[in-house]
Amino acid sequence: MADKLNEMLSLLKVLAEGCRKHPAYRARRPATQRCPECVIVWNARLKLNAITGRE
């Protein structure tokens, strides 16, 4: 249980930091694959949704 919470915490930190180049991007839509940081944020969103059972 603690491992799952730690993983969720680290994913939430990635989402909170967002992309430095595109501060408006908050992973509400898929990344365009042009910016590596946006892709990292999008993948964190997908992992968090999988852990929490959303979508």
Side-chain angles (χ1 to χ4, degrees), residues 4-54:
K4 187 176 180 181
L5 291 175
N6 285 334
E7 184 178 1
M8 287 175 64
L9 183 61
S10 66
L11 292 171
L12 285 170
K13 285 180 183 178
V14 170
L15 285 172
E17 289 176 10
C19 177
R20 284 177 258 187
K21 293 180 186 177
H22 307 101
Y25 180 70
R26 292 291 174 219
R28 294 291 181 191
R29 65 193 186 296
T32 62
Q33 305 295 321
R34 293 182 189 155
C35 177
E37 285 189 55
C38 286
V39 172
I40 291 170
V41 174
W42 177 249
N43 288 334
R45 169 68 125 207
L46 292 178
K47 287 179 187 177
L48 187 62
N49 285 346
I51 290 172
T52 59
R54 294 183 182 188

